[in-house]
Amino acid sequence: MHASLLRSCAQANAPRRHAVKNLALLLACGTSLYAFERRSPWRGWTADYRTGVNQRRVVTLNDGTRLTLNTSSAVNIAYDGAQRRIELLAGEIFIATGKDGAQRPFFVDTPHGSLQALGTRFTVRLHQQYASAGVLEGSVAVLASDGAQRLVLRPGEGAHFDGTGVHRQALAPYGGAWLDGMLVARDMRLADFLAELSRYSEQPLGCAPAIASLRVSGSYPLADVGAILDAVSSSLQLRRNTITRFWGHQVVRIELAAR
């Protein structure tokens, strides 16, 4: 009697144990995928060139073009007899175009639109809903989907663009500081500063809403994100707190310091 009852209970609980095992497996896979995504964006894992979190890489292409990849970036290179193309899959790049003997046109493709470089030095960055470009030297044409010019950017100019429009803007004065391994802030909201710094961090960074509008200024070496957080927290009388979520990854949150 007791043996039959135990067998019945075990059979009744089998589906529940199976569900728990599946949940544990999904959580483990989710943690692994999260870590992979942070270190190497999935769209770029087969890219011609790529970087991980807080890595930078300089590549000289066969026409003399100098390509610098910022943190978590990925590109494909497509050169042929008629044109030179770089496809930006993730992150941000700086391009100093080489002088091509065949005078092939030079393009950068993004999911939000394309650019044509006209003998230039410029940056291109992917955001979630749009792409941006900034010109340091020469000029860059922002192209429509049919290849027609939407506008031309000159030195000191930048633009945000997507599939529906393009918006010209002044080039951020310290936007290229990452090329020297620096993050420069001038009266930047703390929330915006942490969002930018998150690009170079193994863990996502955030802050309490009550302190999101505090202002940050300074020049910070990107080689040590923890030291940046300590410096900013000290100057603003804040503290950083590392939170471990139930699925295993960590989030760094900046909060008011205990008094």
Side-chain angles (χ1 to χ4, degrees), residues 63-121:
D63 64 336
T65 292
R66 189 176 176 87
L67 173 66
T68 306
L69 287 77
N70 198 4
T71 177
S72 300
S73 299
V75 297
N76 282 330
I77 310 298
Y79 279 24
D80 59 28
Q83 61 185 359
R84 298 169 290 168
R85 284 190 178 272
I86 293 178
E87 181 185 11
L88 180 57
L89 303 172
E92 180 177 23
I93 54 176
F94 168 79
I95 299 169
T97 55
K99 294 183 178 180
D100 184 47
Q103 298 185 333
R104 294 169 296 175
F106 189 105
F107 300 95
V108 177
D109 298 322
T110 81
H112 305 290
S114 298
L115 304 164
Q116 182 176 4
L118 307 173
T120 184
R121 297 166 63 243

Side-chain angles (χ1 to χ4, degrees), residues 15-60:
R16 181 177 299 176
R17 288 198 304 271
H18 183 68
V20 170
K21 287 180 181 179
N22 286 340
L23 177 60
L25 179 60
L26 286 172
L27 289 174
C29 291
T31 300
S32 299
L33 287 172
Y34 170 82
F36 176 77
E37 175 67 16
R38 290 289 297 168
R39 290 165 177 77
S40 179
W42 68 269
R43 289 179 301 169
W45 73 278
T46 59
D48 292 332
Y49 300 103
R50 61 186 182 274
T51 54
V53 175
N54 209 359
Q55 294 180 345
R56 281 168 294 283
R57 182 177 182 182
V58 180
V59 179
T60 300

Side-chain angles (χ1 to χ4, degrees), residues 48-219:
D48 292 332
Y49 300 103
R50 61 186 182 274
T51 54
V53 175
N54 209 359
Q55 294 180 345
R56 281 168 294 283
R57 182 177 182 182
V58 180
V59 179
T60 300
L61 303 179
N62 59 21
D63 64 336
T65 292
R66 189 176 176 87
L67 173 66
T68 306
L69 287 77
N70 198 4
T71 177
S72 300
S73 299
V75 297
N76 282 330
I77 310 298
Y79 279 24
D80 59 28
Q83 61 185 359
R84 298 169 290 168
R85 284 190 178 272
I86 293 178
E87 181 185 11
L88 180 57
L89 303 172
E92 180 177 23
I93 54 176
F94 168 79
I95 299 169
T97 55
K99 294 183 178 180
D100 184 47
Q103 298 185 333
R104 294 169 296 175
F106 189 105
F107 300 95
V108 177
D109 298 322
T110 81
H112 305 290
S114 298
L115 304 164
Q116 182 176 4
L118 307 173
T120 184
R121 297 166 63 243
F122 66 111
T123 61
V124 188
R125 176 176 168 182
L126 284 185
H127 306 260
Q128 287 189 349
Q129 303 297 330
Y130 62 91
S132 62
V135 179
L136 284 71
E137 181 182 294
S139 58
V140 172
V142 183
L143 305 180
S145 57
D146 62 359
Q149 287 189 4
R150 299 165 79 177
L151 60 80
V152 175
L153 302 174
R154 308 295 181 185
E157 295 182 332
H160 287 185
F161 58 93
D162 57 23
T164 61
V166 57
H167 306 282
R168 192 192 304 265
Q169 62 185 25
L171 186 63
Y174 307 106
W178 63 268
L179 290 163
D180 298 316
M182 301 292 292
L183 175 60
V184 178
R186 292 291 180 266
D187 198 36
M188 185 182 292
R189 292 177 70 250
L190 176 60
D192 297 334
F193 178 82
L194 293 175
E196 185 66 16
L197 187 59
S198 282
R199 300 172 62 208
Y200 305 90
S201 173
E202 295 287 352
Q203 293 86 32
L205 309 177
C207 66
I211 59 174
S213 294
L214 292 178
R215 299 290 166 169
V216 178
S217 295
S219 299

